[in-house]
Amino acid sequence: MAYERAYDLFDLAILMQSNREGVSLQDICERFGVARRTAERMRDTILIQFPQTVETVGEKNSKRWHIPQGTLKDFIQFSAEELSSLEIAVETLKNQNLFEKAQCLEKVLNKVRANIKDSTLRKIEPDLEVILEVEEFAHKVGPQIEVDQNVLRAIREAILSFKQIEIEYEAKFSGKIHTYTLNPYGILYGDRNHYLLAVHSDGYDNGTVRNFILSNIKTINILEELYEIPSDFNIKEYASRSFGIFQEEPFDVEWLFSATVAKEVKRYLFHPTQKMIENPDGTITVKFHAGGRLEMDWHLYTWGDNVKVIKPTDWYDKKENKK
C-alpha cells in the first residue's frame, strides 16, 4: 500500500469516529478527491481493520459508517504542523480582536497538548518551535474592529436559549441611540465590521433579517420572551447572497482581468458561486451571482486598470450618475 494511501485510510478512520452521523461514500469521494470505486475500497479496508464499525441506513437507502467513540484513542497522535496551525489560528483570532474565540481555541489547544504522550511531545516540540519561528503570523496593519466581548457572550447566550434581546444601538450615520427588541439569528464576521443578524421582534419590515454593527451596540439585555429561528434560515446561504456583508437582490456579475494579473487572480476565491475562465489571450473571466455592489466597488479599486466589469452592463453608468 502506498505511504500516502495509508495516511488517507487513517484520516478516514478518524473521520468515521469523529462524525456521529457516520460517513457516506459520497463524503469519502469529496473529502479525499477519489472516484466512487476507490472510496468503496477505502471503506472496505476500514471495515476489515475495524470490524466494530457500525453501518446505518438513512433516507433513500443511503448508507453511512461510524466507528464507535474511543476505538482510536491509542492510535491518534498530533504532529508539529497540526499544533502550529492551532497556534497560528489563536493568534489570528486575537489579531481580529475576537479574544473570546481565541481563548476558547486556546483551551482546545491545551487539551490537545494534555492528551499527547510526553515522549511524543518531546519529539515534536523542536519541530513546532521551528515552524512557529519561520511562519510568524503577520499582524494586520491599520485600523482594527473593536468588539465588546460581553456583547458577543450575551448574543450567544440568547441564541442558545432562544431568548429575545433588547439593545441600545447607535445609528451609523446620525449617531442617534435607538432601543430595539430583536430575535437574534447569528453573527457574521467581516473585514470592515462584524454584525449581529436579527429580526425585529414586533415584525417590523415584514420580518426581514437586518444587520446590526456589533461595535454600535451600546447595551444589551437578554429577555425572558422566547422566539424561533425559521427552519429555512441558513447563515451560510444568507452570507453567500452578497459579495460582502451588505444585502441586496443578487445579480449576475462578470469581471474581465488583464493577462498582467492573471496569475494573481487564479489565487483568489472571489465568491463561493464563482466560475473562473482562462481566455485564449491570457485574460481571466470571473463570473458569479451575488449582491453587494458597494463592496464590489471597494474590491475592484484594488485591481486598478487591470479589471473591467462586463456585467452588470450598467455598472459604469451608475457610477457616473453618482458623481
Side-chain angles (χ1 to χ4, degrees):
M1 181 185 300
Y3 186 65
E4 292 81 4
R5 183 59 64 199
Y7 265 106
D8 284 348
L9 287 172
F10 188 63
D11 285 345
L12 175 57
I14 294 174
L15 183 63
M16 284 184 170
Q17 179 175 283
S18 63
N19 194 323
R20 294 183 181 276
E21 295 181 354
V23 176
S24 68
L25 287 174
Q26 184 61 34
D27 292 335
I28 298 173
C29 291
E30 294 176 358
R31 169 64 179 79
F32 297 98
V34 297
R36 185 177 180 85
R37 184 64 191 126
T38 301
E40 290 173 345
R41 288 197 294 268
M42 293 174 69
R43 175 210 56 196
D44 292 343
T45 302
I46 293 295
L47 294 179
I48 292 171
Q49 297 299 321
F50 301 98
Q52 62 270 63
T53 301
V54 177
E55 179 183 295
T56 58
V57 180
E59 296 180 359
K60 299 180 180 179
N61 293 321
S62 61
K63 294 182 179 180
R64 306 182 74 87
W65 293 269
H66 170 67
I67 294 178
Q69 294 296 321
T71 303
L72 303 173
K73 61 182 178 65
D74 294 328
F75 297 93
I76 296 177
Q77 289 299 327
F78 302 91
S79 68
E81 184 178 1
E82 290 167 335
L83 290 180
S84 69
S85 295
L86 286 174
E87 295 267 16
I88 292 171
V90 169
E91 290 303 311
T92 301
L93 290 170
K94 287 179 180 178
N95 187 54
Q96 294 178 346
N97 286 337
L98 298 175
F99 296 109
E100 188 181 8
K101 287 282 189 184
Q103 290 172 0
C104 185
L105 186 58
E106 209 160 19
K107 289 179 181 178
V108 173
L109 177 59
N110 291 335
K111 290 176 181 178
V112 169
R113 283 179 172 275
N115 280 279
I116 299 176
K117 296 177 181 178
D118 288 341
S119 58
T120 303
L121 193 57
R122 283 194 295 271
K123 289 179 182 178
I124 67 175
E125 276 189 330
D127 290 340
L128 174 61
E129 290 177 8
V130 171
I131 292 173
L132 291 176
E133 284 177 6
V134 301
E135 296 185 11
E136 178 65 22
F137 178 75
H139 289 277
K140 182 179 177 182
V141 178
Q144 297 183 21
I145 302 167
E146 288 287 349
V147 179
D148 188 329
Q149 303 304 306
N150 292 323
V151 168
L152 277 173
R153 278 192 288 271
I155 291 172
R156 293 195 188 103
E157 181 181 341
I159 291 174
L160 290 173
S161 58
F162 296 101
K163 291 183 177 180
Q164 295 178 0
I165 58 174
E166 182 182 76
I167 66 171
E168 288 186 335
Y169 186 75
E170 181 180 342
K172 182 176 181 179
F173 297 109
S174 69
K176 292 182 178 179
I177 303 296
H178 301 278
T179 301
Y180 299 127
T181 302
L182 305 172
N183 299 348
Y185 279 18
I187 298 170
L188 196 57
Y189 298 104
D191 289 333
R192 290 173 172 268
N193 280 305
H194 304 321
Y195 297 85
L196 162 67
L197 305 186
V199 301
H200 288 274
S201 301
D202 61 4
Y204 171 75
D205 198 19
N206 296 317
T208 301
V209 178
R210 302 177 70 86
N211 300 347
F212 297 87
I213 300 173
L214 287 181
S215 57
N216 285 19
I217 298 176
K218 300 307 176 183
T219 65
I220 181 170
N221 293 305
I222 301 175
L223 308 177
E224 291 303 314
E225 286 77 12
L226 301 177
Y227 73 99
E228 291 184 0
I229 298 178
S231 59
D232 60 352
F233 176 78
N234 182 292
I235 194 168
K236 289 184 179 180
E237 292 179 1
Y238 175 87
S240 69
R241 285 172 48 85
S242 176
F243 181 73
I245 297 294
F246 300 146
Q247 292 286 312
E248 64 182 10
E249 193 63 31
F251 46 85
D252 289 332
V253 177
E254 183 177 335
W255 295 341
L256 179 64
F257 292 89
S258 71
T260 306
V261 295
K263 186 175 180 179
E264 184 179 357
V265 169
K266 285 188 248 186
R267 300 193 190 111
Y268 276 79
L269 176 64
F270 295 95
H271 192 268
T273 65
Q274 78 174 33
K275 291 182 180 178
M276 189 173 289
I277 303 167
E278 297 184 43
N279 302 313
D281 61 356
T283 60
I284 299 286
T285 296
V286 175
K287 298 180 180 181
F288 58 89
H289 188 75
R293 180 183 289 263
L294 180 59
E295 286 174 305
M296 290 182 201
D297 253 345
W298 289 338
H299 181 73
L300 289 171
Y301 276 122
T302 66
W303 294 93
D305 295 334
N306 288 304
V307 63
K308 180 180 180 181
V309 177
I310 306 301
K311 290 183 181 179
T313 56
D314 63 349
W315 187 270
Y316 297 102
D317 294 338
K318 289 201 173 185
K319 288 181 69 176
E320 287 296 327
N321 291 336
K322 289 180 181 178
K323 293 182 180 179

